[in-house]
Amino acid sequence: MEQSDPNRAQAPVTAGNRLTIDLGALSRNWLALDALAGAAEAAAAVKGNAYGIGLVPAVRALSRAGCRTFFVALPDEGLRVRAAAPDATIYILNGLASNLSSMHAEARLRPVIGSTGELDEWAAYRARGGDGNAALHVDTGMNRLGITFAEAQELAADPGLVERLGLTLVMSHLACADTPAHPLNARQLATMQNVRALFPGLPVSLANTAGITLGPDYHFDIARPGIGIYGGPYIEGIAPLETVVTAEARIVQIRNVPAGQTVGYGAAQTLARPSRIAILSTGYADGYHRAAGSTDQRPGAATFLHGRPAPLVGRVSMDLMAIDVTDVPEARRGDWVELFGANMPVAEVAAAAGTISYELLTSLGARYARHYLGDA
Ligand SMILES: *Cc1c(COP(=O)(O)O)cnc(C)c1O
């Protein structure tokens, strides 16, 4: 937590908090998942600003590591990936937005067609002589995006379809991959095997990060890891890969508060002992979830400094939050405190807020001084 730590951002004195993003760890995590996926190609899910860490630096680092295929949610994100990775294959998961067929083709973005309406629009565009490629999303049980298996069967009866539509991939998404014993996994796998049989020769993709760990049957041709690349745990209780993101906040001031007094809005937590309270320069405006705060009824998240955890006290404010440093006598005004990172797992902070690491990462605010290790 020392300010001179070479592995930490040297944030400007005007910054209240800082993010250190380790692109070397990001690349190694991707390589580890690529190895775990066996013969399948590992792509990378970089939607949501690459899970909060920054789309362009993430794409550049992953490209250098050998990643050739990227999945984003939106065409806007796809355009930014295209600028950073001119030769990459880019899929747009949210599907084909109305009247954007030619725009996708011009930027070589491949829409993941997820409904018969999108399919009709894409087919009409191709019939008019439009080029470009697309993926087909078949729903196997999630009921979010994708045509039904019955619709896929109908399409497959037309042998020229794959070529006529320029399809390069057929994919589906697992609803319960992070719960290996859930029976829906096997059902989705069985349906996907039937989908593969419908479109011989067309590459198939099913697994996200957790799906890769369900075993080789789930790997098919292309895996789509996201959270594991960013060092988030993908199955409850399973250790994450290397830590990529470290979020820290500065101590603004330290105050001594007598027992029996309360801290913060709503007087939500009463101190049981005379306490040393450090006020940190981070709040929910920085994406630190308000629900991670602490009350008399329910303990909140913890932070980490000088080798020890320090729990939140009271509610999280917009720009500030309080921690108890009574047991951390070294704590001083100006110190950096780890909100999450190698010593305070993002999943634990997320759990204290009643959410998952995905949401905490993608909520990272714009106020952090961002520093990339390993060259952006
Ligand atoms: C986000 C997403 C992924 C990546 O999932 P992780 O759990 O982060 O590995 C893969 N496929 C689809 C369709 C997604 O939406």
Side-chain angles (χ1 to χ4, degrees), residues 282-299:
T282 284
Y284 59 77
D286 300 289
Y288 194 95
H289 284 41
R290 188 169 173 279
S294 190
T295 69
D296 286 331
Q297 285 73 42
R298 203 188 63 91

PDB file of all heavy atoms in Angstrom, residues 282-299:
ATOM      1  N   THR A 282     -13.668   7.672  -1.746  1.00  0.00           N
ATOM      2  CA  THR A 282     -14.369   6.874  -2.768  1.00  0.00           C
ATOM      3  C   THR A 282     -15.802   6.671  -2.287  1.00  0.00           C
ATOM      4  O   THR A 282     -16.044   6.576  -1.077  1.00  0.00           O
ATOM      5  CB  THR A 282     -13.700   5.490  -2.942  1.00  0.00           C
ATOM      6  OG1 THR A 282     -12.507   5.647  -3.696  1.00  0.00           O
ATOM      7  CG2 THR A 282     -14.598   4.521  -3.693  1.00  0.00           C
ATOM      8  N   GLY A 283     -16.718   6.619  -3.220  1.00  0.00           N
ATOM      9  CA  GLY A 283     -18.109   6.373  -2.842  1.00  0.00           C
ATOM     10  C   GLY A 283     -18.860   5.723  -3.974  1.00  0.00           C
ATOM     11  O   GLY A 283     -18.264   5.206  -4.921  1.00  0.00           O
ATOM     12  N   TYR A 284     -20.182   5.782  -3.872  1.00  0.00           N
ATOM     13  CA  TYR A 284     -20.950   5.095  -4.917  1.00  0.00           C
ATOM     14  C   TYR A 284     -20.848   5.789  -6.267  1.00  0.00           C
ATOM     15  O   TYR A 284     -21.084   5.177  -7.299  1.00  0.00           O
ATOM     16  CB  TYR A 284     -22.392   4.827  -4.487  1.00  0.00           C
ATOM     17  CG  TYR A 284     -23.233   6.017  -4.111  1.00  0.00           C
ATOM     18  CD1 TYR A 284     -23.783   6.844  -5.078  1.00  0.00           C
ATOM     19  CD2 TYR A 284     -23.518   6.290  -2.775  1.00  0.00           C
ATOM     20  CE1 TYR A 284     -24.565   7.939  -4.733  1.00  0.00           C
ATOM     21  CE2 TYR A 284     -24.294   7.380  -2.415  1.00  0.00           C
ATOM     22  CZ  TYR A 284     -24.822   8.201  -3.398  1.00  0.00           C
ATOM     23  OH  TYR A 284     -25.590   9.263  -3.061  1.00  0.00           O
ATOM     24  N   ALA A 285     -20.440   7.072  -6.285  1.00  0.00           N
ATOM     25  CA  ALA A 285     -20.209   7.728  -7.579  1.00  0.00           C
ATOM     26  C   ALA A 285     -19.021   7.113  -8.313  1.00  0.00           C
ATOM     27  O   ALA A 285     -18.848   7.319  -9.516  1.00  0.00           O
ATOM     28  CB  ALA A 285     -19.987   9.222  -7.397  1.00  0.00           C
ATOM     29  N   ASP A 286     -18.196   6.368  -7.589  1.00  0.00           N
ATOM     30  CA  ASP A 286     -17.068   5.673  -8.208  1.00  0.00           C
ATOM     31  C   ASP A 286     -17.427   4.224  -8.535  1.00  0.00           C
ATOM     32  O   ASP A 286     -16.556   3.446  -8.930  1.00  0.00           O
ATOM     33  CB  ASP A 286     -15.861   5.708  -7.260  1.00  0.00           C
ATOM     34  CG  ASP A 286     -15.457   7.144  -6.958  1.00  0.00           C
ATOM     35  OD1 ASP A 286     -14.927   7.803  -7.854  1.00  0.00           O
ATOM     36  OD2 ASP A 286     -15.713   7.609  -5.829  1.00  0.00           O
ATOM     37  N   GLY A 287     -18.675   3.882  -8.332  1.00  0.00           N
ATOM     38  CA  GLY A 287     -19.103   2.517  -8.618  1.00  0.00           C
ATOM     39  C   GLY A 287     -18.918   1.570  -7.451  1.00  0.00           C
ATOM     40  O   GLY A 287     -19.155   0.372  -7.577  1.00  0.00           O
ATOM     41  N   TYR A 288     -18.482   2.107  -6.298  1.00  0.00           N
ATOM     42  CA  TYR A 288     -18.400   1.260  -5.106  1.00  0.00           C
ATOM     43  C   TYR A 288     -19.824   1.129  -4.565  1.00  0.00           C
ATOM     44  O   TYR A 288     -20.448   2.122  -4.183  1.00  0.00           O
ATOM     45  CB  TYR A 288     -17.469   1.867  -4.057  1.00  0.00           C
ATOM     46  CG  TYR A 288     -17.108   0.872  -2.977  1.00  0.00           C
ATOM     47  CD1 TYR A 288     -15.938   0.129  -3.063  1.00  0.00           C
ATOM     48  CD2 TYR A 288     -17.968   0.644  -1.902  1.00  0.00           C
ATOM     49  CE1 TYR A 288     -15.624  -0.814  -2.101  1.00  0.00           C
ATOM     50  CE2 TYR A 288     -17.656  -0.304  -0.937  1.00  0.00           C
ATOM     51  CZ  TYR A 288     -16.489  -1.023  -1.037  1.00  0.00           C
ATOM     52  OH  TYR A 288     -16.180  -1.966  -0.091  1.00  0.00           O
ATOM     53  N   HIS A 289     -20.342  -0.075  -4.556  1.00  0.00           N
ATOM     54  CA  HIS A 289     -21.773  -0.246  -4.315  1.00  0.00           C
ATOM     55  C   HIS A 289     -22.200   0.230  -2.924  1.00  0.00           C
ATOM     56  O   HIS A 289     -21.602  -0.153  -1.923  1.00  0.00           O
ATOM     57  CB  HIS A 289     -22.166  -1.713  -4.498  1.00  0.00           C
ATOM     58  CG  HIS A 289     -22.252  -2.119  -5.939  1.00  0.00           C
ATOM     59  ND1 HIS A 289     -21.338  -1.702  -6.883  1.00  0.00           N
ATOM     60  CD2 HIS A 289     -23.148  -2.870  -6.596  1.00  0.00           C
ATOM     61  CE1 HIS A 289     -21.673  -2.202  -8.058  1.00  0.00           C
ATOM     62  NE2 HIS A 289     -22.768  -2.908  -7.912  1.00  0.00           N
ATOM     63  N   ARG A 290     -23.249   1.025  -2.906  1.00  0.00           N
ATOM     64  CA  ARG A 290     -23.780   1.527  -1.638  1.00  0.00           C
ATOM     65  C   ARG A 290     -24.220   0.378  -0.744  1.00  0.00           C
ATOM     66  O   ARG A 290     -24.128   0.442   0.483  1.00  0.00           O
ATOM     67  CB  ARG A 290     -24.952   2.465  -1.946  1.00  0.00           C
ATOM     68  CG  ARG A 290     -25.495   3.210  -0.764  1.00  0.00           C
ATOM     69  CD  ARG A 290     -26.459   4.290  -1.223  1.00  0.00           C
ATOM     70  NE  ARG A 290     -27.114   4.918  -0.085  1.00  0.00           N
ATOM     71  CZ  ARG A 290     -28.159   4.406   0.546  1.00  0.00           C
ATOM     72  NH1 ARG A 290     -28.690   3.276   0.145  1.00  0.00           N
ATOM     73  NH2 ARG A 290     -28.690   5.026   1.589  1.00  0.00           N
ATOM     74  N   ALA A 291     -24.681  -0.709  -1.393  1.00  0.00           N
ATOM     75  CA  ALA A 291     -25.157  -1.866  -0.627  1.00  0.00           C
ATOM     76  C   ALA A 291     -24.032  -2.578   0.121  1.00  0.00           C
ATOM     77  O   ALA A 291     -24.294  -3.454   0.945  1.00  0.00           O
ATOM     78  CB  ALA A 291     -25.864  -2.846  -1.564  1.00  0.00           C
ATOM     79  N   ALA A 292     -22.771  -2.213  -0.148  1.00  0.00           N
ATOM     80  CA  ALA A 292     -21.650  -2.841   0.575  1.00  0.00           C
ATOM     81  C   ALA A 292     -21.419  -2.193   1.936  1.00  0.00           C
ATOM     82  O   ALA A 292     -20.563  -2.637   2.699  1.00  0.00           O
ATOM     83  CB  ALA A 292     -20.368  -2.748  -0.260  1.00  0.00           C
ATOM     84  N   GLY A 293     -22.192  -1.155   2.260  1.00  0.00           N
ATOM     85  CA  GLY A 293     -22.041  -0.472   3.540  1.00  0.00           C
ATOM     86  C   GLY A 293     -22.417  -1.362   4.707  1.00  0.00           C
ATOM     87  O   GLY A 293     -22.945  -2.465   4.549  1.00  0.00           O
ATOM     88  N   SER A 294     -22.113  -0.854   5.911  1.00  0.00           N
ATOM     89  CA  SER A 294     -22.290  -1.654   7.130  1.00  0.00           C
ATOM     90  C   SER A 294     -23.349  -1.009   8.024  1.00  0.00           C
ATOM     91  O   SER A 294     -23.428   0.217   8.110  1.00  0.00           O
ATOM     92  CB  SER A 294     -20.946  -1.713   7.862  1.00  0.00           C
ATOM     93  OG  SER A 294     -21.001  -2.635   8.908  1.00  0.00           O
ATOM     94  N   THR A 295     -24.162  -1.816   8.646  1.00  0.00           N
ATOM     95  CA  THR A 295     -25.167  -1.312   9.580  1.00  0.00           C
ATOM     96  C   THR A 295     -25.101  -2.146  10.860  1.00  0.00           C
ATOM     97  O   THR A 295     -24.393  -3.149  10.927  1.00  0.00           O
ATOM     98  CB  THR A 295     -26.591  -1.432   9.000  1.00  0.00           C
ATOM     99  OG1 THR A 295     -26.935  -2.820   8.923  1.00  0.00           O
ATOM    100  CG2 THR A 295     -26.707  -0.803   7.617  1.00  0.00           C
ATOM    101  N   ASP A 296     -25.870  -1.727  11.849  1.00  0.00           N
ATOM    102  CA  ASP A 296     -25.924  -2.510  13.086  1.00  0.00           C
ATOM    103  C   ASP A 296     -26.516  -3.898  12.836  1.00  0.00           C
ATOM    104  O   ASP A 296     -26.242  -4.838  13.564  1.00  0.00           O
ATOM    105  CB  ASP A 296     -26.766  -1.777  14.136  1.00  0.00           C
ATOM    106  CG  ASP A 296     -26.013  -0.576  14.717  1.00  0.00           C
ATOM    107  OD1 ASP A 296     -24.763  -0.630  14.751  1.00  0.00           O
ATOM    108  OD2 ASP A 296     -26.670   0.395  15.105  1.00  0.00           O
ATOM    109  N   GLN A 297     -27.344  -3.995  11.792  1.00  0.00           N
ATOM    110  CA  GLN A 297     -27.993  -5.276  11.506  1.00  0.00           C
ATOM    111  C   GLN A 297     -27.114  -6.210  10.685  1.00  0.00           C
ATOM    112  O   GLN A 297     -27.240  -7.425  10.756  1.00  0.00           O
ATOM    113  CB  GLN A 297     -29.308  -5.057  10.729  1.00  0.00           C
ATOM    114  CG  GLN A 297     -30.460  -4.534  11.567  1.00  0.00           C
ATOM    115  CD  GLN A 297     -30.270  -3.059  11.931  1.00  0.00           C
ATOM    116  OE1 GLN A 297     -29.851  -2.251  11.108  1.00  0.00           O
ATOM    117  NE2 GLN A 297     -30.539  -2.720  13.190  1.00  0.00           N
ATOM    118  N   ARG A 298     -26.232  -5.616   9.876  1.00  0.00           N
ATOM    119  CA  ARG A 298     -25.555  -6.430   8.857  1.00  0.00           C
ATOM    120  C   ARG A 298     -24.172  -5.863   8.587  1.00  0.00           C
ATOM    121  O   ARG A 298     -24.042  -4.707   8.198  1.00  0.00           O
ATOM    122  CB  ARG A 298     -26.375  -6.362   7.557  1.00  0.00           C
ATOM    123  CG  ARG A 298     -26.179  -7.500   6.584  1.00  0.00           C
ATOM    124  CD  ARG A 298     -26.897  -7.176   5.286  1.00  0.00           C
ATOM    125  NE  ARG A 298     -26.325  -5.996   4.646  1.00  0.00           N
ATOM    126  CZ  ARG A 298     -25.330  -6.038   3.756  1.00  0.00           C
ATOM    127  NH1 ARG A 298     -24.820  -7.174   3.381  1.00  0.00           N
ATOM    128  NH2 ARG A 298     -24.853  -4.924   3.223  1.00  0.00           N
ATOM    129  N   PRO A 299     -23.106  -6.665   8.787  1.00  0.00           N
ATOM    130  CA  PRO A 299     -21.773  -6.148   8.473  1.00  0.00           C
ATOM    131  C   PRO A 299     -21.619  -5.933   6.972  1.00  0.00           C
ATOM    132  O   PRO A 299     -22.253  -6.619   6.168  1.00  0.00           O
ATOM    133  CB  PRO A 299     -20.834  -7.246   8.967  1.00  0.00           C
ATOM    134  CG  PRO A 299     -21.662  -8.487   8.994  1.00  0.00           C
ATOM    135  CD  PRO A 299     -23.080  -8.055   9.234  1.00  0.00           C
TER     136      PRO A 299
END
